[in-house]
């Protein structure tokens, strides 16, 4: 057990958010005793990849992890939002890298992990946060193409990222991490 992460998320209705909800991370803390109990990990700078980190829960967790000293790789579809988040977390004293990524695309995910390895040489935490939903319409009216986009982001994306993370976490020294 390397570390634990507790996240409590509250969704509040907000008139000035185009999705209708404002997500606020009210608690995001590391279980420091688990980190410090492993001497190898205590001596290593921690690195996290957060998918879907340009907005919402992903962005707020990036800020929380930066406050805990994690270097970050921020992945998402919209590069301008990722760059804004990078500026914010770098101001907290950590290193961060924005990698525009479609998590449903195998080549894009491979590139995300290649850039992570080149920049930080390790990965301790993967937060598979990216996802999308289908419109609120009757299922018989939902186009298959839209359904395939949901499956690609929510299922295939999590699989591809976890697969790459396992590879990287097995090769690094010390081995291990959390997904």
């Amino acid at each position: 057990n390397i570390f634990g992460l507790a996240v409590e998320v509250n969704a509040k209705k907000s008139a000035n958010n185009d999705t209708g909800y404002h997500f606020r991370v009210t608690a995001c803390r590391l279980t420091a005793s688990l980190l410090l109990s492993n001497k190898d990990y205590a001596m290593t700078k921690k690195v996290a990849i957060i998918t879907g980190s340009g907005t919402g829960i992903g962005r707020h967790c990036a800020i929380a992890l930066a406050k805990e000293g994690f270097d970050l790789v921020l992945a998402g579809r919209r590069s301008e939002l990722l760059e804004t988040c990078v500026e914010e977390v770098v101001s907290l004293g950590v290193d961060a890298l924005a990698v525009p990524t479609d998590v449903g695309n195998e080549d894009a995910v491979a590139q995300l992990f290649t850039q992570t390895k080149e920049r930080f040489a390790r990965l301790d935490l993967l937060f598979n946060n990216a996802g999308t939903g289908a419109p609120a319409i009757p299922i018989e009216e939902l186009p298959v193409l839209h359904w395939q986009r949901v499956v690609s982001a929510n299922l295939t994306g999590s699989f591809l990222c976890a697969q790459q993370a396992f590879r990287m976490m097995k090769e690094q020294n010390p081995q291990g991490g959390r997904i």
Side-chain angles (χ1 to χ4, degrees):
N1 223 352
I2 301 164
F3 53 85
L5 177 67
V7 179
E8 177 185 322
V9 179
N10 291 333
K12 293 190 174 185
K13 193 78 170 158
S14 171
N16 45 343
N17 185 322
D18 58 1
T19 62
Y21 290 94
H22 171 71
F23 293 99
R24 180 171 60 95
V25 175
T26 58
C28 187
R29 66 172 172 77
L30 295 174
T31 308
S33 60
L34 292 175
L35 274 173
L36 298 175
S37 67
N38 184 324
K39 291 179 187 174
D40 290 334
Y41 278 95
M43 301 303 290
T44 322
K45 182 73 171 160
K46 304 301 176 282
V47 178
I49 292 176
I50 304 171
T51 65
S53 55
T55 61
I57 295 168
R59 181 181 160 274
H60 288 283
C61 285
I63 293 165
L65 288 171
K67 288 178 181 177
E68 294 292 335
F70 273 77
D71 287 335
L72 299 169
V73 180
L74 306 178
R77 291 175 294 137
R78 296 173 286 182
S79 59
E80 66 282 352
L81 295 172
L82 294 174
E83 291 298 338
T84 300
C85 191
V86 164
E87 291 172 14
E88 191 165 359
V89 297
V90 166
S91 74
L92 297 171
V94 300
D95 191 7
L97 172 67
V99 182
T101 308
D102 172 358
V103 296
N105 180 298
E106 188 173 7
D107 293 334
V109 171
Q111 186 60 30
L112 168 64
F113 282 83
T114 296
Q115 289 185 40
T116 300
K117 190 171 186 173
E118 287 171 357
R119 176 80 166 257
F120 298 107
R122 67 173 301 102
L123 176 64
D124 299 288
L125 174 66
L126 168 63
F127 179 20
N128 270 323
N129 175 65
T132 191
I137 60 174
I139 193 164
E140 67 272 14
E141 295 174 20
L142 183 66
V144 172
L145 184 59
H146 196 94
W147 172 251
Q148 289 170 333
R149 279 187 236 142
V150 170
V151 170
S152 179
N154 298 358
L155 299 177
T156 304
S158 292
F159 167 76
L160 292 172
C161 289
Q163 186 180 52
Q164 290 288 334
F166 266 93
R167 287 182 182 131
M168 191 166 172
M169 290 172 176
K170 286 171 81 172
E171 292 173 0
Q172 66 195 17
N173 186 18
Q175 285 184 326
R178 286 287 178 258
I179 298 172

